[in-house]
């Protein structure tokens, strides 16, 4: 009896995480890791459509992206720069986390909202009021926002970069997602 109850309890705990892009977003149990991986896969699918090699996830690059994402969330801002010594630019942050100074870097940042109407882009670049209810919709709208910007689109599709990571922060109160993708090539 005790074992059955324990297994049922463990099963209920695991079920709070997203398992499919079709899953509805629960603001009290937002699956940050699932969203980050889904965004990373979406960018690599885009690269594949351009016949560009996929980006390889790098933990040290993730640390730089996560640091900046937390900075934006804590300061309620959307920026590429920090007012922190040694972390002002994406280059500074990547150099700090990797210890490498000879590198090429780029960064995409964004803020989006879920579970409420907002201006979002469709795959054809048309903006309209839409609500992201599922992880799939949220990933699609955020990706499409980056794709509509020449700067962000070039970063995502550039064969100059070989490693990358995406970090997000979710605020359940405002339902805002802050996202940072850092791209890098070492030795450049």
């Amino acid at each position: 009896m005790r074992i059955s109850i324990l297994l049922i309890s463990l099963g209920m705990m695991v079920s709070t995480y997203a398992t499919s892009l079709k899953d509805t977003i629960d603001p009290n149990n937002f699956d940050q890791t699932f969203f980050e991986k889904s965004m990373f896969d979406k960018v690599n699918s885009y690269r594949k459509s351009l016949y560009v090699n996929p980006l390889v996830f790098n933990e040290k690059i993730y640390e730089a992206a996560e640091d900046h994402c937390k900075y934006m969330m804590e300061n309620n801002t959307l920026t590429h720069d920090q007012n922190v010594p040694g972390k002002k630019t994406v280059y500074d942050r990547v150099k700090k986390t990797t210890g490498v100074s000879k590198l090429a870097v780029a960064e995409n940042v964004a803020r989006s909202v879920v579970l409420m109407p907002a201006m979002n882009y469709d795959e054809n670049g048309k903006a309209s009021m839409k609500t992201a209810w599922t992880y799939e919709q949220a990933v699609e709208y955020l990706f499409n926002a980056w794709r509509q910007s020449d700067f962000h689109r070039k970063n995502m599709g550039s064969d100059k970069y070989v490693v990358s990571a995406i970090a997000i922060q979710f605020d359940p109160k405002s339902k805002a997602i802050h996202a940072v993708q850092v791209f890098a090539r070492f030795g450049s």
Side-chain angles (χ1 to χ4, degrees):
M1 180 68 172
R2 282 187 179 164
I3 293 173
S4 298
I5 293 170
L6 177 61
L7 290 175
I8 292 169
S9 296
L10 287 174
M12 288 172 45
M13 287 184 351
V14 171
S15 68
T16 62
Y17 293 102
T19 58
S20 164
L21 285 169
K22 302 285 186 198
D23 286 352
T24 300
I25 295 169
D26 176 352
N28 298 312
N29 290 301
F30 188 85
D31 194 337
Q32 176 179 326
T33 303
F34 181 77
F35 190 89
E36 289 169 344
K37 183 182 180 326
S38 299
M39 276 298 297
F40 195 83
D41 291 348
K42 183 76 171 173
V43 170
N44 271 338
S45 291
Y46 174 68
R47 290 172 67 87
K48 184 178 179 180
S49 76
L50 301 174
Y51 302 100
V52 177
N53 287 332
L55 295 162
V56 176
F57 175 83
N58 181 284
E59 186 65 39
K60 294 295 184 182
I61 299 300
Y62 180 81
E63 290 174 22
E66 183 180 44
D67 177 79
H68 191 56
C69 200
K70 286 179 178 177
Y71 175 87
M72 290 193 316
M73 181 92 155
E74 290 166 3
N75 291 282
N76 194 29
T77 188
L78 188 63
T79 181
H80 288 284
D81 297 324
Q82 290 188 22
N83 288 327
V84 178
K87 295 183 180 182
K88 182 166 177 51
T89 68
V90 63
Y91 173 84
D92 296 335
R93 293 186 293 277
V94 172
K95 182 180 172 187
K96 184 175 183 69
T97 61
T98 64
V100 177
S101 59
K102 192 173 182 184
L103 49 90
V105 295
E107 178 181 69
N108 287 354
V109 300
R111 180 173 42 211
S112 184
V113 295
V114 296
L115 306 174
M116 63 176 60
M119 288 302 288
N120 285 300
Y121 289 99
D122 66 18
E123 61 190 28
N124 299 314
K126 183 180 177 200
S128 62
M129 292 297 284
K130 296 179 185 171
T131 303
W133 297 106
T134 67
Y135 285 92
E136 181 176 45
Q137 291 167 325
V139 166
E140 188 72 25
Y141 297 155
L142 184 60
F143 173 80
N144 288 341
W146 277 343
R147 196 170 61 178
Q148 298 316 306
S149 157
D150 287 340
F151 177 78
H152 295 101
R153 186 174 57 253
K154 286 177 186 173
N155 287 343
M156 290 190 300
S158 175
D159 63 359
K160 178 179 183 177
Y161 306 113
V162 294
V163 295
S164 182
I166 296 176
I168 68 108
Q169 293 288 305
F170 178 72
D171 178 3
K173 192 175 191 179
S174 67
K175 298 180 182 54
I177 297 171
H178 287 77
V180 176
Q181 182 167 19
V182 174
F183 306 85
R185 175 187 290 270
F186 299 112
S188 296

